[in-house]
Amino acid sequence: MKLITGNAPHVRANDTTSKVMTDVIIALIPAIIGAWYFFGGYALFLILLGAVTGELFELFIMRVLRNDKSFTPNGSAAITGILLAMNVSSATPWWVFLIGLAFALGIAKHAFGGLGMNIFNPALAGRAFLLVSFPVAMTTWYKPVLSFTKWIDVQTSATPLAILKETGNVNVGYWDLFIGNRGGSIGETSVLLLLVGFIYLVIRKRIKIMIPISYISTVFVMSSVFYFVNPSFGTPLFHILSGGLMLGALFMATDMVTSPMTIKGQAIFGVGIGVMTLLIRYFAGYPEGVSLSILLMNAFVPLIDKYTMPRIFGEVES
Amino acid sequence: MKLSTFLGGVHPPENKHLSKDYPIKKAPLPEKVLVFMQQHAGSPAKSVVNKGDKVKTGQVIGEPTGFISSYVHSPVTGTVVDVKKVTNVIFGKAVEVVEIQREGEDEWELLPHGNYEDFSNEELVEIIKKAGIVGLGGAMFPTYVKLMPPKDKKIDYLVINGAECEPYLTIDHRMMLERQEDILIGIEIVKKILGIKNVAIGIEDNKMDVINLLQNKWKGKINVIPLKTKYPQGAEKQLIYATTGRKVPRGKLPMDVGVVVLNVSTLYAIKEAVIDGKPLVERGLTVTGEAVNKPGNWWVRIGTPISWVIENLGGGFKENVENVKVLMGGPMMGIPINNIDTPLVKGNNGITTLIPKEQKSTFCIRCSYCVNVCPMGLQPYLLDLLGKKKRYDEAVEIGLLDCIECGSCTYICPAKIEHVKTIKLAKKVYKALRGGKK
């Protein structure tokens, strides 16, 4: 028998990075099934392609390019792949999508040092890259097919936000916005199914819950003020339910790696994204502001972390 | 029931069921003891016996060498067979050790004792000092120093640590169940010395039997405060906050907020010293863990080799155990021994045996779990980062020295990063560097 030494504590929580990642993937499953139903078999294909190729890309990057022979997949690249797929339209060619995924993992994640070191949310960075490289594919929106057996619909339809931007009116009801029967990115349309996954993450304590709270309430308050001034800015509820706001608030802004560490920091982060999102939606040439505002606030995270140090126990309260 | 607590903390599996229903039994006397001359915080004691000397149980074999230092006594009656220096993991350096071969039963050498009310406060402190009593919760700080605070520090509160928040350990639980009357006498002695009235005892609510018993028995005398079961509920600053609502300022001590904290076993030792004249040569101990056959609670002599404890009290290691971690203390803060013959010291409230599991650390994913659980409100991930980069001054600025080394951050980390290991090392290096400059 051998005596083993080592450092305290000698017991550890039964938790691993892979378990954290698995929980996030589980939480995305309702929205993935919804994406399949709303946008057909091709949407599901893109999501699965993202998950599998993402892990293969990362395995290649780590084992071959970064020469880490002991690297084992942990699920984080699959999440990037799934989220990128959920953030593109069902009109995106698969090879365009793969270019975006390669950018997300190769540049946004690994050029910055890999898991835990990246400043920008890789999936959103991939999306931003595709948006400037393939603007037509990224802004062509197909109508929902409402079927698990249909591959794809080729009838295009504008997103509710684009319609609001162009006409100052809305043509879709809150219920359709809530369940996801509307044009948009593959995984962003069903608020209901995103919420189901979110509740799972909250129960499993896998989420920085302050971020969605502060983000959504900022959007609510600010859009209420604008709506009061001029109703053509859209109602608060419309802004919360439309576009990628819920996907962004619940699954993109809350990305552990690229968000602040303290509750206070998370609140500031959420408020910042909320304000930016609405400013872009109201005044920029582009109807949707969620991804860009999250990416922008990602850049501020080190600064936010620096200035929101928690008060140390026993520190004089000033 | 309203439960007091603090912010942060973790919930490791308690595993107290292994030993909590075993009443404390008196262990047989070991054949041989090894007594460290350092069993306390501060400067080590100096041995005052030589090879070949006959010693009685309770006889002084080590004398203090400074203000913060403590007496050491022989735990058995017998002959000194060796006085040597041994490198020991507890203190991380070579420490003088007196080896005694037991001969026959105990012949006691006792301290002056009797009714505590007949002694003056100075005499009581002297008895406690002469008895070699140190903090038995694990910290091993000489108790008499706590009982003679500087004149400008007004002490008005005694907080008793009955939390026993370390998983596996049950000795304090048993002490409070079986020996609460002696503990109460210990409390009365300390109250007299400090000249105070307020006493609170904090006990985690996984020991409801003790809470109910004491709330009943000590009604009107002592404020029995149920605490939420959460690690590190028994840490000094967290316990004071939960029981009295007072916050010990950064870098300050409990006495700066008028509080003295003592562990239940320490109070028991005070009673034994003052009433019975017995120096601290034995104590209660939990022998437990996954790797021993018979977990239980025992009354054991200090200096007993751990190998003897495991063989004779713990029923030996289970069959098929290939690798084992033997800890002095519990799994959260316990010190693993690298030599099975290492003897017990005064601060050992338990010997925990674990079957180690391999844990490979990966990258920080900034999940913020460590920030959320830190009972001191620190940012362990950042301290770890700064420590690894040797940026000690920055680390101190954000609270390196405030870390109480409870290990909650390392416990919770899904990436299995050993924050507390880096932090402890960074503290040591920083102190050494700063000491070098002066």
Side-chain angles (χ1 to χ4, degrees), chain B residues 343-380:
Chain B
L344 297 176
V345 294
K346 291 174 181 176
N348 286 152
N349 42 9
I351 297 297
T352 309
T353 59
L354 298 177
I355 296 165
K357 296 177 192 75
E358 205 182 324
Q359 308 265 23
K360 197 178 148 220
S361 74
T362 57
F363 315 99
C364 172
I365 52 168
R366 294 175 49 86
C367 62
S368 80
Y369 289 1
C370 61
V371 175
N372 297 339
V373 302
C374 180
M376 293 304 290
L378 305 174
Q379 308 213 67

Side-chain angles (χ1 to χ4, degrees), chain B residues 18-149:
Chain B
L18 293 175
S19 58
K20 82 176 167 62
D21 297 324
Y22 290 79
I24 307 167
K25 277 193 269 183
K26 205 168 166 54
L29 293 174
E31 301 76 46
K32 194 179 81 179
V33 291
L34 291 148
V35 188
F36 277 111
M37 287 299 107
Q38 180 163 20
Q39 310 225 3
H40 47 263
S43 39
K46 177 86 195 75
S47 68
V48 293
V49 288
N50 296 307
K51 203 169 162 174
D53 287 359
K54 297 271 179 204
V55 290
K56 287 184 189 171
T57 310
Q59 182 183 331
V60 172
I61 56 173
E63 281 183 352
T65 56
F67 175 63
I68 297 177
S69 189
S70 189
Y71 282 92
V72 182
H73 306 80
S74 174
V76 292
T77 299
T79 307
V80 176
V81 291
D82 207 354
V83 179
K84 59 189 174 188
K85 279 208 164 183
V86 175
T87 304
N88 190 278
V89 283
I90 315 158
F91 313 106
K93 57 182 176 189
V95 176
E96 212 178 12
V97 64
V98 173
E99 190 177 339
I100 302 166
Q101 186 71 42
R102 178 173 66 88
E103 283 154 7
E105 289 307 303
D106 286 324
E107 270 180 61
W108 280 91
E109 188 166 304
L110 297 175
L111 299 160
H113 59 283
N115 192 341
Y116 69 91
E117 277 160 350
D118 299 340
F119 292 107
S120 72
N121 289 344
E122 288 71 28
E123 284 167 334
L124 287 174
V125 173
E126 190 63 18
I127 292 172
I128 289 164
K129 180 180 180 180
K130 285 272 166 65
I133 296 172
V134 301
L136 299 187
M140 300 195 280
F141 188 81
T143 301
Y144 81 93
V145 182
K146 285 189 182 177
L147 298 180
M148 36 188 290

Side-chain angles (χ1 to χ4, degrees), chain A residues 54-77 105-106 109-117, chain B residues 360 362-363:
Chain A
E55 283 299 330
L56 290 177
F57 275 174
E58 180 149 284
L59 198 66
F60 173 77
I61 291 168
M62 288 303 287
R63 292 242 173 133
V64 179
L65 301 183
R66 301 187 66 183
N67 205 20
D68 179 350
K69 300 290 178 223
S70 67
F71 174 81
T72 47
N74 52 38
S76 65
L105 290 169
K109 185 173 180 185
H110 282 279
F112 282 85
L115 182 60
M117 304 296 285
Chain B
K360 197 178 148 220
T362 57
F363 315 99

